[in-house]
Amino acid sequence: MTTSTLAPVATGTRTAERPVAVAIAAFLGLGLLFMAGFSPAIALHNAAHDFRHTQNFPCH
C-alpha cells in the first residue's frame, strides 16, 4: 500500500495584495457615495437624503 502526503496550502490574502484590495474597496465606496450624492434622480435622492444631512454632504 502506498501513501502520499500533500504540501500545506497557504490560505488567505498575501501581504502584497492587501493594499490593492483596500484601494479597490475605497474607490468603489467613494464612487457609490458620490453617485448617490450628486444624482439628480428623485428616488435616489430621497433614499440618501437623511444620510447626506448627517454627514454634512451638500444636496440642495
Side-chain angles (χ1 to χ4, degrees), residues 24-49:
I24 291 172
F27 179 74
L28 291 175
L30 287 172
L32 289 172
L33 176 68
F34 283 103
M35 283 177 24
F38 293 114
S39 175
I42 192 70
L44 188 56
H45 175 85
N46 288 338
H49 191 263

Side-chain angles (χ1 to χ4, degrees), residues 1 4 6 8 11 13-15 17 21-22 26-27 29-31 34 37 41-45 49 55-58:
M1 180 169 271
S4 64
L6 299 174
T11 59
T13 59
R14 296 181 190 159
T15 307
E17 294 174 352
V22 169
F27 179 74
L30 287 172
F34 283 103
I42 192 70
L44 188 56
H45 175 85
H49 191 263
Q55 301 300 314
N56 294 322
F57 196 88

